[in-house]
Amino acid sequence: MTALARWCLRRRIVVIVLWLAAFTGVAVAAGVTGSAYSNDYEVPGTESGRASALLDRAFPGQSGDSDSIVWHTDAGTVRSAAVRRTMTHTLGKIAELPGVAAVQSPYGGPGAHPSDGQGGRRISKDGHTAYASVHFGRATDELDPAQVQKVVDTARRASGGGLQVELGGAGIALTEAPRAQLPEIIGLGAAAVVLFLAFGSLAATFLPIVTALAAVGTASAGITLLSHAMTVADFAPMLGMLIGLGVGIDYALFIVTRHRKGLRAGLPVGEAAVRAAAVSGRAVVFAGATVCIALLGMLVLRLSFLNGVALAASLTVVLTVAAAVTLLPALLGLIGMRALSRRERRQLAEQGPRPDRPTGIAARWSGFVERHPKLLGTVAAALMLALALPAFGLHLGTSDQGNNPAGSTTRKAYDLLAGGGPGAGHGSGFGPGFNGPLTLVGTLDGAKDRIAFEKLPHRLRNTPGVAQVSGPDFNDSHSVGVITVVPAGSPQSRQTSDLVRHLRTEVLPAAGGTSTLRVQVGGITAGYDDFASVIVGKLPLFIGVVIALGSVLLLLAFRSIGIPLKAALMNIAAVASSFGIVVAIFQWGWGSELLGLGSAGPIEPFLPVIMVSVLFGLSMDYQVFLVSRMYEEWQLTHNNCRAVRVGLAETSRVINSAAVIMIAVFGAFVLSGDRTIAMFGIGLAAAVALDAFVLRTLLVPALMHLLGGANWWLPSWLDRWLPRISIEPPPEPGTAVRLPGPQDGEKPLVGV
C-alpha cells in the first residue's frame, strides 16, 4: 500500500488521466451497445419455468409483450355510441403506431385482432369498464420506451367527458421508470453538507464525492456492458449506484480524515497522504473485500437473476476501493494543504503541530459507556429486539402494479380491472384475480389426453378459489393445450398461493385419470411463488456461508474468537431490526402511501438475499474500523478497558459522520419512484443508523467492557496454525493516546 500510494502521488496527473480515460472509454462503449437488462424471475427446473418454456415453444407468435388499455365511465356504459366511437377511433390509431403488432378490442372493427372472439368477455358485468389488449412486436426487455410512451399518450388523450382511460402492463411500466437523477443529487448534496461540517474545507469536502462519482460512473457503464454477457436485473444499476455512493464516500472519508490528522501533526503533504493511504487504505481494502465476499455469497444460490446482481454490485465496490487507494492519494497531493480549513492552517502556522487527542463528546461518551456497560447494553439490546419483532411476520412475495403509487396510470388500470376503482360497485371490473391469471399448460399425447384436457375446465370451475376459466386452446398440432384460470383472490394474496398449491397437488393429478396427461401450472403468480420458494429454501445456506466467510476474515485479522462471534451476532441483529422496519412500512403499510411508495404488499423474495449481503458487508466495515483501533491499542498496552475506551473515542466521530452520509445517500433513494429500490434504501438506511448509533457506539463497546480480556483470547494451537494478516501496521512505541480519566494506574489485563 505504501509503494502504491507513493507512485500515485508522484504521478498524480497520470493517475487522474487514467481514471478519466477509463470512465470515458467504458461510458462510450456502453452508450454504443445499449443495455440488455432483464426482469425475468423464472427459475429453470421449477414447474412454472417448465410451463413457460413449453408455452413459448408451442405458441411462438405470443412471445411479444401484451399490455392493457382500460376505460371506465360512471355515467352510462362503455357500450354507448359515444364511448364506442371514441375508443374505436383511439384503438385504431394505436394499432398503426410503430412497435404495435395488434390490438384486441371488445368492439371489433378497425384495430381489432382478427382472431379475437372475446369481445363480450372484455366488458365488465355492469358495463362500466372495458379493456383492450395491446400486443407489441417485441418482448418487454426489448421494447423502446419512446414507442411505448406514444401508445400511452394516444390512449390518455381519449380521457375526458366522464371517460377515464388508463394503461397497465409490464411494457407500460417502462414509461414510469424510476427517477434516476433526483436521489443521487439529494444524496450527494446531503453528503457534501456533512463533509463540510466535519472538515471545514471545500477542497476536502469534494474529494470523497469526486472519488465516489468516478468509481460509480465507471461501474454503472460497466454494468451496462455486463448485461450483454449475463442476466442482470433492471434494478441492478441503481442498486450498484446506491451501494457505490454510500461506501465510496465513506471509504474516502476515512482516508481523508487520517490524512488531515497527519497534516495537523506536522507531516509534509506527501508523507501524510502516503501514511493515510497505507494505514487507512489497508482497512478500506479489507472492508471492501468483506463487502464483495458477502455480495458474491449470492452465487451459492445458483440463480442467474441474482448472479448478475451480485457481480454488478461487487464490480461497483471493487472500483470504489480502487479509486480510494489510487485516485484519492493523487487528489490529496494535488490540493496540498487545502485539505485543512483556513483556521486549521493558520493555527498550524502560529502554534506548530499538535497531536490529536479525542476530546469533547467522543471522549465523554467513551467514558460513560465504560462506567455503565450493563445498563447501556441492556437498553441497546431491548431496542434492537423491539424493532426486529415485525420481521417475524415477514411475507415474501412479488409486488405488482397494484402496489404502485396511487396516482400512476398502471395502478389506476390495475384497480379498474380488479373492480376497485373510484365509484366501483357490484359487478364493476373483472375481479381481484384478473390481474394475475394462472396458465395451465398440458402436454397431450393422443386422443385420450385431449379428451381429459377438454373436461378439465368443468372440474376447475367447481374448484374453490377459482373465479373464471377460459379455454382450452390448442397449438396447431394439438400436442399442447392451454387453459387460463382467474383466481378469486388477488395475485399477492395467500389465498391465490394456496390455490396454486391445491391445483398442483390434488386437482390436476386427479384430472388425468388413466391417461398420460400432464398439466403444469404457470403464469406470473405461480412463477413468483416458485421463485420465492427457491429463495427461502436456499436462504439458510446462503446466510451460513456469508457469516462463516466474514467470521474467518475477522479471525485472521484480530486473532480472536470473541471478535468474530460478536460481529456475527451484531450483524444478525442489524439485519433483523432493519427488516422489521421494512415489514412495518412496506408490508403493513405504515406510511407507505404518505411516502409515495404505493400500497401495502409483500416483500420481494430476493430482498432478504441482497440486503443480507450488503448489510453484512457494511456492518463488517464499521466493525473493522472500530475494532482495528481497539486492537492496535490492545497490542500496545494489553489493557482491555483502555483499548475499548481509546478505540471508541477515536473512531466514534468518524464512524458517526460516515453513517450520517450513508443514511443520507440511502434514504434519498426513497424518492426514486421505484418500490424495490425504495425498499433497499429504507432497509439499508435503517440498518446503518442502528449499526452505527446503537451497535458500534453502544452495544459492542458495552459487551467488550463486560468480557474484559476474553475479547482477545485465542487458543495457542490455533494461533500457531492461522496465517497472519494485518489491517493496521504495527503500533509504534510511545504512541499511546491519553484520555481523560485514570490511566497510569490501570493494571494491564492479559489473557482471560
Side-chain angles (χ1 to χ4, degrees), residues 25 45 68 91 105 116 155 158 160 229 265 290 338 382-383 390 401 428 431 472 475 574 586 608 660 734 746:
S68 300
L91 296 178
S105 167
D116 182 33
T290 60
R338 284 176 295 171
L383 175 62
Q401 294 179 349
S428 178
N475 65 341
F586 291 94
V660 170
E746 292 175 334

Side-chain angles (χ1 to χ4, degrees), residues 145-376:
Q147 292 181 345
V148 180
Q149 186 63 54
K150 289 182 180 179
V151 173
V152 174
D153 294 341
T154 304
R156 295 297 297 273
R157 280 197 290 268
S159 295
L163 180 65
Q164 178 185 3
V165 182
E166 307 294 347
L167 299 93
I172 301 301
L174 296 175
T175 65
E176 298 176 338
R179 298 180 287 274
Q181 296 180 348
L182 182 62
E184 291 93 317
I185 294 173
I186 294 176
L188 289 174
V193 171
V194 176
L195 288 170
F196 184 75
L197 292 176
F199 294 152
S201 163
L202 279 177
T205 294
F206 286 109
L207 284 185
I209 294 175
V210 170
T211 305
L213 285 176
V216 170
T218 307
S220 182
I223 294 171
T224 302
L225 297 177
L226 183 66
S227 68
H228 292 277
M230 63 188 305
T231 301
V232 178
D234 58 356
F235 63 81
M238 190 167 285
L239 177 65
M241 195 171 298
L242 183 151
I243 297 170
L245 288 177
V247 302
I249 294 175
D250 273 12
Y251 291 165
L253 168 66
F254 288 117
I255 293 177
V256 173
T257 299
R258 178 77 70 147
H259 173 69
R260 285 164 44 82
K261 180 179 179 180
L263 292 179
R264 287 194 296 269
L267 293 177
V269 171
E271 189 61 28
V274 168
R275 288 197 182 184
V279 177
S280 293
R282 289 189 183 194
V284 164
V285 171
F286 187 86
T290 60
V291 175
C292 288
I293 287 173
L295 289 169
L296 294 176
M298 284 189 274
L299 298 179
V300 304
L301 299 175
R302 303 181 67 180
L303 297 174
S304 59
F305 179 81
L306 292 177
N307 290 347
V309 174
L311 291 177
S314 298
L315 172 64
T316 306
V317 174
V318 168
L319 288 177
T320 58
V321 171
V325 298
T326 58
L327 179 60
L328 185 57
L331 294 175
L332 288 173
L334 199 64
I335 67 170
M337 293 297 294
R338 284 176 295 171
L340 297 178
S341 66
R342 291 182 179 179
R343 181 178 58 82
E344 289 173 322
R345 295 199 299 269
R346 186 169 56 251
Q347 288 180 346
L348 186 62
E350 294 174 355
Q351 304 173 13
R354 295 181 302 168
D356 278 353
R357 291 191 178 94
T359 57
I361 295 177
R364 290 195 296 272
W365 176 255
S366 179
F368 182 70
V369 173
E370 182 181 10
R371 292 191 298 274
H372 308 284
K374 292 182 180 179
L375 173 63
L376 296 177

Side-chain angles (χ1 to χ4, degrees), residues 72 74 164 412 415-416 420-425 428:
H72 175 85
D74 291 324
Q164 178 185 3
K412 292 176 181 177
D415 290 342
L416 288 173
S428 178

